[in-house]
């Protein structure tokens, strides 16, 4: 009994240490990436290329998911609000839930599994096939040339993707509430505008998605760079990117929400 | 993929992203006066503010004219001190009345302003002296019963 | 060996964790020579190459490459030094997201301010030298193993390095491709005076090519000499390696208990064996 308890305690301790070590390693790698970021901006075409692969390639899934999430919110919100006789507030409900929470969080989760895993797999494979070593031997720093542009491309793409997700969601809510159900269009927009504050909601939404973009890009590049140079190593790293990015997004969301919306 | 096509796609992506941000800023949300530079600050004491919160709207005749920027408890007068940011373009006289009102039956609370007849206007840092606090349901019901019980004997005599 | 040394190693140790990978290595590689480092897989040859390339730091001892002290070199100086080095990786390590042409032009674009038209001419010349000018628009994935190795060689020599390192250049190639790579290494050495270090376990091909051979086994240099000296060597390890004998100082069997005890030929010492008797 006591032995079992001690065993579980030891496991909890080991897990805590492991998580702390993981966070520390990502932060150290992030600082290293930031220190070698000059190349990403001096030769911005490198970063643009990565924005294409992480941003444009994620566009379809982000837009379609945004539309569906907005539609579901419209349907569910209408059902609930109707019983209180305030169906016009459905616009408010859709817009507030999207800007404050669902927009940044869901788009970041999708971004982590679509673009983050691709970044990890690509860097991991480059490492496994010695391309990073080869670059180093050509006197080109792989952190500056390979990691930097991928990090910045992802970081810059994320807030834009989140904004598009939220906008599509609001349009999805509009389609369901106004066009399908028949809520008054004027009331839908005016109630929404009355409740959504640009500084409080829209700007905070952008800040959240920028923080998530930073976390996902840092984790994805780190996992790729630290991957064991084997097939299992790369596939394991890809999985770890998705899992730890998702956890990081949700944990950061809790912290940011507590700071931003406590008033 | 060819360089020019790639640049074009990223260009479309960035423009679409900014269109989405503009849509969220101007169609979904509204910029509140409280955060803009062109506003002035006034204060008011209320005996009770009910459920009023920071960033709640300040309205006059139902039109948004400002926002509540701070609420704190005044330990000298033992009541609530509410600070509001009002739109610089809308002047209010010094004898304006401020009241804590509710939109709808269960809606959120806001500050309503009714301008008075004085020729001087409120300035940055002025205090609104005529105030009316929030109506509290329990007190309202209590008052109702008191007035009913006072009415009752008269009704019986008639 | 009167020429100045391109690489000079004395009493070098390298430890990885608590394992001694290399112990007390002494080497002098003169400029302009072709040297082979031979040994079994896992004996520390590639580690030695990475130490010379500055990707690893020695734990102890002295290592000078082109006059630079590799134990104390800072990052900027290391990157300057690497511009004078070229390395051919075992499987080519071509950048898979670029064409063969862009791979070869990569270093020129990164390190020089040459006009694009000049870079194009130089790149085509390098590709011509390895016989792949016609394949310049292919992606690395579309090349055979031998072609990929040649393309990688063209990329490694793009900036005319003074020191070339080859990591297992012959592994996994058919005899024709092997001959082509060997001839290219020799031509390069003669045309540009490049110092070449070849890490390999292919004895026959490299013996014909090199000026001097170092034999590494279990982290120490066990023999060295010119190819003729090596062939005539009486050392049992070298003899076994050069002639490819199955058993010798390097045992055929991975350490294990005697097989007789396991299959029942020996007296019953295993649990359960008594019951059958």
């Amino acid at each position: 009994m006591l032995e079992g308890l001690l065993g579980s305690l030891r496991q909890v301790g080991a897990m805590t240490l492991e998580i702390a070590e993981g966070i520390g390693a990502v932060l150290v790698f992030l600082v290293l990436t930031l220190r070698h970021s000059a190349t990403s901006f001096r030769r911005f075409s490198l970063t643009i290329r990565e924005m294409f692969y992480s941003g444009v390639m994620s566009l379809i899934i982000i837009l379609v998911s945004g539309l569906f999430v907005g539609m579901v919110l419209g349907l569910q919100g209408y059902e609930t609000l109707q019983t209180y006789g305030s169906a016009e507030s459905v616009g408010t409900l859709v817009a507030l839930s999207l800007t404050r929470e669902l927009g940044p969080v869901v788009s970041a989760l999708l971004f982590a599994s679509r673009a983050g895993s691709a970044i990890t797999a690509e860097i991991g494979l480059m490492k496994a096939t010695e391309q990073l070593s080869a670059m180093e031997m050509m006197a080109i720093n792989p952190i500056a040339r390979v990691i930097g542009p991928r990090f910045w491309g992802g970081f810059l793409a994320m807030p834009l993707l989140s904004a598009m997700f939220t906008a599509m969601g609001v349009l999805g809510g509009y389609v369901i509430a106004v066009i399908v159900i028949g809520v008054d269009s004027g009331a839908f927009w005016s109630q929404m505008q009355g409740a959504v504050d640009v500084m409080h909601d829209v700007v905070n939404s952008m800040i959240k998605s920028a923080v998530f973009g930073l976390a996902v890009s840092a984790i994805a590049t780190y996992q790729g760079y630290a991957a064991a140079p084997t097939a299992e190593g790369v596939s394991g790293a890809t999985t770890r990117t998705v899992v730890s990015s998702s956890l990081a997004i949700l944990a950061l969301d809790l912290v940011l929400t507590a700071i931003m919306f406590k008033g | 993929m060819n360089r020019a096509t790639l640049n074009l796609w990223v260009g479309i992506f960035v423009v679409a992203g900014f269109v989405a941000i503009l849509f969220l800023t101007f169609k979904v949300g509204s910029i509140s006066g409280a955060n803009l530079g062109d506003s002035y600050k006034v204060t008011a004491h209320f005996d009770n503010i009910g459920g009023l919160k920071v960033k709640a709207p300040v309205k006059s005749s139902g039109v948004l004219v400002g926002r509540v920027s701070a609420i704190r408890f005044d330990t000298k007068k033992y009541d609530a001190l509410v600070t509001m940011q009002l739109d610089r373009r809308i002047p209010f006289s010094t004898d304006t009345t401020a009241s804590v009102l509710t939109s709808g039956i269960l809606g959120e609370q806001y500050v309503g302003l009714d301008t008075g007849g004085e020729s001087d206007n409120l300035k940055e840092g002025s205090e609104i002296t005529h105030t009316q606090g929030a109506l509290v349901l329990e007190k309202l019901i209590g008052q109702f019963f008191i007035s009913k019980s006072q009415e009752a004997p008269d009704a019986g005599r008639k | 060996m009167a020429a100045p040394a391109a690489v000079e190693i004395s009493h070098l140790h390298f430890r990885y964790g608590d394992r001694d990978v290399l112990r007390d290595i002494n080497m002098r590689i003169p400029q302009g020579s072709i040297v082979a480092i031979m040994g079994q897989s896992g004996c520390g040859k590639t580690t030695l190459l990475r130490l010379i390339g500055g990707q690893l730091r020695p734990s102890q001892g002295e290592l000078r490459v082109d006059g630079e002290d590799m134990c104390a070199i800072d990052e900027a100086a290391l990157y300057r030094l690497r511009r004078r080095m070229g390395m051919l990786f075992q499987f080519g390590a071509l950048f898979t997201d670029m064409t063969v042409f862009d791979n070869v032009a990569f270093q020129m674009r990164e390190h020089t301010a040459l006009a694009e038209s000049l870079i194009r001419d130089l790149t085509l010349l390098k590709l011509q030298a390895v016989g792949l000018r016609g394949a310049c628009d292919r992606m690395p994935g579309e090349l055979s193993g031998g072609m990929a190795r040649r393309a990688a060689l063209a990329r490694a020599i793009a900036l005319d390095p003074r020191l070339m390192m080859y990591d297992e250049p012959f592994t996994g190639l058919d005899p024709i491709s092997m001959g082509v790579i060997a001839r290219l290494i020799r031509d390069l050495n003669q045309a540009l005076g490049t110092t070449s270090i070849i890490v390999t376990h292919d004895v026959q091909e490299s013996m014909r090519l090199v000026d001097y051979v170092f034999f590494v086994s279990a982290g120490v240099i066990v023999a060295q000499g010119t190819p003729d000296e090596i062939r005539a060597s009486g050392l049992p390890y070298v003899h076994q390696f050069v002639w490819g004998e199955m058993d010798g100082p390097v045992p055929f069997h991975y350490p294990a208990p005697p097989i007789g005890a396991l299959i029942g030929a020996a007296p019953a010492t295993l649990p359960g064996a008594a019951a059958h008797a």
Side-chain angles (χ1 to χ4, degrees):
Chain A
M1 181 62 199
L2 183 68
E3 199 45 48
L5 193 69
L6 280 177
S8 339
L9 271 178
R10 250 180 241 122
Q11 271 182 347
V12 171
M15 251 164 63
T16 313
L17 283 178
E18 209 172 286
I19 292 170
E21 267 174 24
I23 294 174
V26 172
L27 287 179
V28 167
F29 188 72
L30 175 64
V31 170
L32 194 65
T33 309
L34 294 178
R35 263 183 39 211
H36 287 99
S37 285
T39 311
S40 307
F41 292 95
R42 214 177 38 231
R43 294 173 59 192
F44 201 64
S45 62
L46 293 174
T47 307
I48 287 182
R49 201 186 109 95
E50 298 311 325
M51 275 180 84
F52 177 84
Y53 286 111
S54 50
V56 178
M57 298 300 251
S58 309
L59 212 49
I60 301 276
I61 189 172
I62 288 284
L63 294 181
V64 172
S65 310
L67 191 68
F68 284 149
V69 167
M71 285 177 157
V72 169
L73 278 176
L75 270 177
Q76 290 280 14
Y78 178 79
E79 288 299 318
T80 313
L81 289 170
Q82 190 201 27
T83 55
Y84 300 103
S86 46
E88 292 77 26
S89 303
V90 69
T92 311
L93 182 119
V94 169
L96 280 183
S97 13
L98 278 168
T99 48
R100 289 187 177 177
E101 286 298 329
L102 292 175
V105 171
V106 177
S107 58
L109 291 174
L110 291 171
F111 180 75
S113 39
R114 173 65 185 79
S117 59
I119 290 174
T120 303
E122 191 190 11
I123 296 173
L125 272 177
M126 287 184 84
K127 189 185 179 191
T129 53
E130 294 191 302
Q131 293 180 44
L132 296 183
S133 270
M135 203 172 268
E136 221 169 70
M137 286 308 298
M138 291 181 207
I140 296 154
N141 190 329
I143 303 241
R145 182 63 173 67
V146 174
I147 305 292
R150 278 163 182 75
F151 171 81
W152 286 106
F155 175 68
L156 294 176
M158 185 64 248
L160 298 176
L161 285 172
S162 166
M164 285 186 239
F165 181 95
T166 309
M168 279 310 275
V170 171
L171 291 178
Y174 177 83
V175 167
I176 288 294
V178 177
I179 297 177
V180 178
I181 296 176
V183 171
D184 180 59
S185 167
F188 180 88
W189 290 116
S190 64
Q191 290 235 0
M192 190 189 290
Q193 283 171 358
V196 178
D197 181 87
V198 169
M199 287 302 148
H200 195 232
D201 297 315
V202 178
V203 171
N204 277 350
S205 175
M206 292 292 105
I207 293 174
K208 269 190 179 182
S209 60
V211 172
F212 297 160
L214 183 93
V216 174
S217 300
I219 291 173
T221 47
Y222 167 75
Q223 290 292 0
Y225 196 76
T230 58
E232 300 85 55
V234 175
S235 75
T238 312
T239 311
R240 274 200 302 283
T241 293
V242 177
V243 172
S244 29
S245 297
S246 305
L247 289 176
I249 289 165
L250 295 173
L252 285 169
D253 184 51
L254 178 64
V255 174
L256 289 175
T257 305
I259 296 171
M260 288 170 174
F261 300 104
K262 66 172 181 222
Chain B
M1 174 146 315
N2 161 335
R3 182 93 254 161
T5 330
L6 197 140
N7 284 348
L8 178 69
W9 269 107
V10 174
I12 293 171
F13 173 74
V14 171
V15 169
F18 277 101
V19 167
I21 292 175
L22 290 180
F23 173 78
L24 293 179
T25 310
F26 294 107
K27 185 74 186 170
V28 175
S30 55
I31 297 170
S32 60
N35 296 301
L36 295 178
D38 54 348
S39 64
Y40 62 104
K41 187 174 78 176
V42 297
T43 56
H45 285 274
F46 290 98
D47 57 349
N48 192 324
I49 59 162
L52 191 70
K53 290 198 176 68
V54 173
K55 291 204 168 97
V58 178
K59 294 180 180 179
S60 188
S61 309
V63 179
L64 186 75
V65 295
R67 286 201 185 262
V68 172
S69 59
I71 297 172
R72 92 190 159 75
F73 188 70
D74 188 339
T75 47
K76 288 203 191 87
K77 293 187 175 176
Y78 273 79
D79 61 7
L81 177 61
V82 173
T83 311
M84 291 166 268
Q85 297 283 348
L86 301 182
D87 192 326
R88 168 94 45 211
R89 292 163 300 183
I90 306 170
F92 284 95
S93 65
T94 47
D95 59 344
T96 293
T97 310
S99 10
V100 178
L101 303 169
T102 310
S103 59
I105 299 172
L106 299 166
E108 65 171 345
Q109 291 191 292
Y110 66 97
V111 178
L113 296 183
D114 292 302
T115 195
E118 287 282 334
S119 53
D120 289 345
N121 285 334
L122 293 170
K123 294 188 296 288
E124 170 76 25
S126 306
E127 190 190 333
I128 298 175
T129 44
H130 304 288
T131 63
Q132 193 189 347
L135 290 177
V136 179
L137 210 56
E138 289 88 338
K139 284 186 182 168
L140 215 62
I141 294 167
Q143 278 171 359
F144 175 77
F145 278 119
I146 291 165
S147 63
K148 271 287 172 203
S149 61
Q150 283 169 349
E151 270 174 33
D154 303 342
R157 248 173 260 152
K158 275 179 188 173
Chain C
M1 288 218 176
V7 178
E8 211 166 7
I9 301 173
S10 56
H11 304 295
L12 177 136
H13 287 256
F14 181 74
R15 244 168 250 115
Y16 188 81
D18 50 1
R19 202 166 69 90
D20 283 319
V21 182
L22 293 171
R23 277 174 292 141
D24 199 27
I25 301 284
N26 292 289
M27 248 182 212
R28 186 177 180 281
I29 300 172
Q31 271 175 18
S33 62
I34 306 182
V35 168
I37 301 173
M38 287 193 208
Q40 279 180 284
S41 309
C43 71
K45 313 184 292 281
T46 302
T47 306
L48 195 52
L49 217 52
R50 288 186 185 271
L51 282 162
I52 296 171
Q55 292 186 307
L56 297 171
R57 292 279 163 118
S59 311
Q60 209 181 307
E62 224 183 300
L63 169 58
R64 284 181 176 280
V65 178
D66 213 6
E68 298 273 2
D69 181 2
M70 299 300 279
C71 301
I73 197 164
D74 63 30
E75 200 170 306
L78 181 61
Y79 274 98
R80 272 201 303 280
L81 178 65
R82 280 183 183 158
R83 292 191 187 200
R84 307 198 294 265
M85 286 183 188
M87 184 152 172
L88 179 66
F89 283 82
Q90 190 169 354
F91 298 105
L94 290 169
F95 301 130
T96 39
D97 57 343
M98 303 177 192
T99 62
V100 169
F101 179 91
D102 289 335
N103 260 287
V104 177
F106 186 76
Q107 278 195 87
M108 302 182 202
R109 286 180 181 151
E110 294 284 328
H111 285 319
T112 67
L114 299 176
E116 190 59 33
S117 61
L118 191 55
I119 288 180
R120 188 177 159 273
D121 293 350
L122 286 170
T123 305
L124 289 178
L125 278 176
K126 297 292 176 193
L127 281 167
Q128 177 77 12
V130 298
L132 285 181
R133 192 165 49 83
C136 68
D137 288 329
R138 297 240 208 139
M139 296 303 279
E142 302 165 355
L143 300 179
S144 70
M147 282 163 81
R149 204 82 52 96
R150 272 148 72 188
L153 182 58
R155 184 182 68 176
I157 61 172
L159 292 182
D160 297 334
R162 288 157 51 114
L163 174 65
M164 267 302 292
M165 287 175 275
Y166 302 89
D167 190 3
E168 306 279 10
F170 307 117
T171 311
L173 293 186
D174 59 87
I176 301 174
S177 304
M178 215 187 251
V180 170
I181 296 278
R183 196 183 49 96
L184 286 171
I185 293 174
R186 193 168 34 222
D187 288 353
L188 193 66
N189 176 259
Q190 279 164 3
L192 300 171
T194 312
T195 312
S196 305
I197 305 173
I198 304 172
V199 158
T200 181
H201 48 235
D202 186 282
V203 181
Q204 304 311 330
E205 194 62 50
S206 44
M207 285 285 226
R208 272 186 266 147
L209 184 66
V210 303
D211 303 325
Y212 204 77
V213 179
F214 292 95
F215 264 98
V216 181
S217 174
V220 290
I221 294 179
V222 290
Q224 54 181 296
T226 59
D228 291 335
E229 289 167 10
I230 292 294
R231 278 194 204 96
S233 167
L235 277 169
Y237 173 80
V238 176
H239 192 266
Q240 185 193 359
F241 199 93
V242 172
W243 302 105
E245 285 159 357
M246 205 166 135
D247 217 346
V250 181
F252 170 68
H253 293 291
Y254 190 82
I259 192 163
L262 288 177
I263 57 174
T269 49
L270 287 175
H276 293 288

